[in-house]
Amino acid sequence: MVDSAASASSRRAARWLWALYLAVGAVLVVGYYLAPVTAGGFPLRVVLYCLISTSAAVAVCTGMVWHRPRPALPWLLIAASQLVYALADAIFYISHYVFDVTAYPSLADPFYLAHYPLAVAGIVLLIRRRTPGHGVAGLLDAGTLAVVAAMLSWLYVLGPQTRLGAPLLVEVVSLGYPVMDLALMTVALGLLLGRGSRPPAFFLFIGWLAAIMTADTIYVVQQLNGTFQAGNFLDAIWLTGNLALGASALHPTMRAMAEPSPVPDAPLSPVRIAGLSGAALIAPAVLFAQWAGGSVRDVPVVAGTCALLFALTIARLAALVSDQRRLAITDALTGLHTRRFFEAQLPLEIAKARRTGGSVAVLIADVDHFKTINDRDGHPAGDQVLVEISARLRATVRAGEVLARYGGEEFALILPGATARTLPIIAERLRRTVAGEEITLPTGKRVRVTVSVGTAVHPTHGTDPNDLVSIADRALYAAKDAGRDQVVFGVAAAEAPVDGLDYLHLLADEVDALLAGERRSRAVARVARLVATESGLDEESTRTAELAGRLHDIGKIAIPRSVLVKPGPLTEAEWGLVRAHPEHGHRMVSVVPGHTAVAAVVRQHAERWDGTGYPDGLRGGEIRPEARVVAVCTAWVAMLADRPYQAAVTVERACAELVAGSGTQFEPALVEVFVALQERGVLAASRPLLGKS
């Protein structure tokens, strides 16, 4: 108990040590200016200055011991940089105050310049740790600002220095400080503009960099014009910067500075756009100002700056386009590819396999009892399970393979080169990888999660992408039926059972029974045939619309009964379950060979003409014509039938609702066709199917 109390006391002390360090340091800075140069022959001011400078290096080492940052190398380099800097301070101020040697450059300058590379290296490593993938956008933005600063530095510091005719050593040292400061500024901007958390330690660290660069720039100017004196206001800036570095390392959030960032790379906020735009205009503005003043000089430098800024802008736009494309094909939760990317990539891989005479396999894995996890432990737990399974699946994927989140709890994998012999081995390894270890939920509870896997391979099981996916999907359902947590190899379409469609019809009837309209889907099918024929669709499309109308609601079999028959308004979460039914229906229909078109219509029947429907937000001509027909017919039949949450309406009211939805929910031309059919009495024969007179 005593040891535990002492440990807690030590942690509390460490929590506020950074503030105590700053307070004592501030007192010493004030004391430095108030103290005499010497006291009884003792170089008091030198000791105070060097004490503060060295304390920053000691504070960095202390912070490393207490907070144990990972990795430690960035902070080790920064500590070494500060030690070299403190040594330079000791040499400089002893020379000035003790030996009255004020020559420039001095023996201290090589040590001052030597600390920069160490600091730059440490910050670069810190940036790489904070921004996995190297934070390209942030570095480009930092490069833009650094190029502008370099131009200004040349025009007003470096260029004038080269024209003074000073001794070579003076020129080299005087140029060295701005060049090193530019390097430090570049990485500092990369740190500031890049990704990563920004705890208090981060801002203290940035304060150190800002103080060092500001004081160094003023120091060089004062040295060149002969106004520098040891002990002027610059010492306060340097010392304050040292204290900021030490406090940053001692702060409890120091460790968080090196944590990899989960946020997107360098977002282009309005403030950032304005800042970058202003920086890009500085070069031409300087040239215009020189021209207006009649003293145009360093034109190659300004022109080169404009060219570099143009190149950086193009690179930034390219990076932005790349980021947008990456976001469009990346699932936000898991970081895997999206279903859309999977469906676009599979035909390409099959075409490549055809050209080379090779093979390509499809593997679909579904998390077993996932709904139970969501219901029992909450949706955050379900999300954690998906994230962990994604990581485990990703660990099994090799270069050239495509792993995607295919549905809510389904994952799909394209395996170029996999054969009928190797595919079961790969699938079994994947299944064992997922089931190998328990998953820790956000609540701390540990659960064992398994997946069922279905597979298919081209050309053994099929040559069409849709058929290949359907066969793998059918194998997945077989794995589920066989008890889950296993792999089932696909069965070729010619070998598939022929009663799959009959089973789907039974499901449609079961859904109708739940919705208190035992023949609703039959009514939709009959009306869809009439409307499709009248609107000019060919026989194949008409048949597709009719069958999709019959099966449009089968995905609702996956919705909890309590939600499906709920008499009152649905919650947002319940609406989320309902909106998923077209995807469920699509998957169920697509397993029947030769019915990929019907499956696509089932998926799209809840889309709206104005693009606000679901699940894909398609608009206008993006929606299949058959799906547009089914959308009108399902609305018509739904309005004329009694539903758990709404009684049937009259034919006149139903027609009025269709007309009101023309151009928003429904295709206007189809509404006109439908109303005309109703006015001619063609649709009356379908009404008995709804159980109404």
Side-chain angles (χ1 to χ4, degrees), residues 302-374:
V302 179
T305 300
C306 290
L308 280 174
L309 290 175
F310 179 77
L312 287 167
T313 301
I314 295 299
R316 186 64 169 95
L317 290 174
L320 183 62
V321 170
S322 177
D323 286 345
Q324 293 301 315
R325 181 181 182 277
R326 174 176 54 80
L327 291 173
I329 64 174
T330 302
D331 177 65
L333 176 64
T334 63
L336 303 181
H337 289 303
T338 60
R339 174 178 181 152
R340 182 168 296 182
F341 180 83
F342 175 91
E343 292 177 339
Q345 194 68 21
L346 181 56
L348 301 179
E349 294 295 342
I350 291 178
K352 186 187 301 182
R354 286 172 180 162
R355 290 194 304 269
T356 61
S359 60
V360 59
V362 169
L363 184 152
I364 300 179
D366 183 89
V367 183
D368 296 327
H369 304 296
F370 183 74
K371 185 177 183 299
T372 302
I373 297 174
N374 271 337

Side-chain angles (χ1 to χ4, degrees), residues 457-503:
V457 62
H458 162 89
T460 303
H461 298 117
T463 57
D464 180 83
N466 291 326
D467 287 343
L468 205 61
V469 171
S470 295
I471 292 166
D473 217 359
R474 188 163 60 249
L476 170 63
Y477 278 103
K480 293 283 190 182
D481 292 339
R484 296 180 170 85
D485 190 22
Q486 55 189 282
V487 176
V488 171
F489 202 44
V491 179
E495 306 168 23
V498 296
D499 60 352
L501 192 59
D502 293 335
Y503 175 69

Side-chain angles (χ1 to χ4, degrees), residues 521-539 541-547 549-550 625-626 628-630 632-633 636-637 669-689:
S521 63
R522 298 174 189 269
V524 173
R526 181 175 294 184
V527 175
R529 167 167 278 281
L530 294 171
V531 176
T533 301
E534 185 72 14
S535 63
L537 295 184
D538 58 31
E539 179 56 33
S541 298
T542 298
R543 173 59 181 159
T544 297
E546 180 182 19
L547 188 51
R550 177 77 168 97
E626 304 97 318
R628 298 177 226 160
V629 170
V630 173
V632 176
C633 298
W636 170 263
V637 171
L670 280 178
V671 173
E672 293 178 6
V673 169
F674 198 97
V675 172
L677 288 173
Q678 168 58 29
E679 291 175 349
R680 297 202 324 253
V682 176
L683 303 181
S686 299
R687 294 195 62 207
L689 291 173

Side-chain angles (χ1 to χ4, degrees), residues 340-583:
R340 182 168 296 182
F341 180 83
F342 175 91
E343 292 177 339
Q345 194 68 21
L346 181 56
L348 301 179
E349 294 295 342
I350 291 178
K352 186 187 301 182
R354 286 172 180 162
R355 290 194 304 269
T356 61
S359 60
V360 59
V362 169
L363 184 152
I364 300 179
D366 183 89
V367 183
D368 296 327
H369 304 296
F370 183 74
K371 185 177 183 299
T372 302
I373 297 174
N374 271 337
D375 292 344
R376 182 186 62 213
D377 302 300
H379 288 282
D383 289 347
Q384 178 63 33
V385 167
L386 294 177
V387 170
E388 179 60 28
I389 291 178
S390 300
R392 296 182 184 184
L393 294 177
R394 191 185 289 113
T396 69
V397 173
R398 299 171 299 181
E401 298 175 348
V402 176
L403 176 62
R405 185 182 180 191
Y406 198 66
E409 65 271 17
E410 292 178 322
F411 302 89
L413 183 59
I414 301 175
L415 300 159
T419 65
R421 182 178 60 83
T422 62
L423 182 56
I425 300 172
I426 297 172
E428 183 60 27
R429 183 176 68 242
L430 179 146
R431 185 198 65 78
R432 289 198 305 267
T433 299
V434 172
E437 296 182 13
E438 292 182 330
I439 295 176
T440 303
L441 303 182
T443 59
K445 178 182 178 181
R446 295 177 64 83
V447 296
R448 182 176 180 270
V449 180
T450 62
V451 292
S452 299
V453 182
T455 65
V457 62
H458 162 89
T460 303
H461 298 117
T463 57
D464 180 83
N466 291 326
D467 287 343
L468 205 61
V469 171
S470 295
I471 292 166
D473 217 359
R474 188 163 60 249
L476 170 63
Y477 278 103
K480 293 283 190 182
D481 292 339
R484 296 180 170 85
D485 190 22
Q486 55 189 282
V487 176
V488 171
F489 202 44
V491 179
E495 306 168 23
V498 296
D499 60 352
L501 192 59
D502 293 335
Y503 175 69
L504 295 182
H505 282 237
L506 292 175
L507 287 182
D509 291 338
E510 186 175 342
V511 171
D512 286 347
L514 288 173
L515 295 175
E518 295 185 3
R519 308 180 76 184
R520 290 176 65 253
S521 63
R522 298 174 189 269
V524 173
R526 181 175 294 184
V527 175
R529 167 167 278 281
L530 294 171
V531 176
T533 301
E534 185 72 14
S535 63
L537 295 184
D538 58 31
E539 179 56 33
E540 182 179 353
S541 298
T542 298
R543 173 59 181 159
T544 297
E546 180 182 19
L547 188 51
R550 177 77 168 97
L551 304 176
H552 73 283
D553 261 353
I554 62 170
K556 290 182 177 178
I557 200 70
I559 300 174
R561 181 186 177 91
S562 60
V563 175
L564 201 59
V565 300
K566 185 176 180 179
L570 300 181
T571 65
E572 187 58 35
E574 291 169 339
W575 268 117
L577 295 174
V578 172
R579 293 190 187 101
H581 86 271
E583 296 180 86

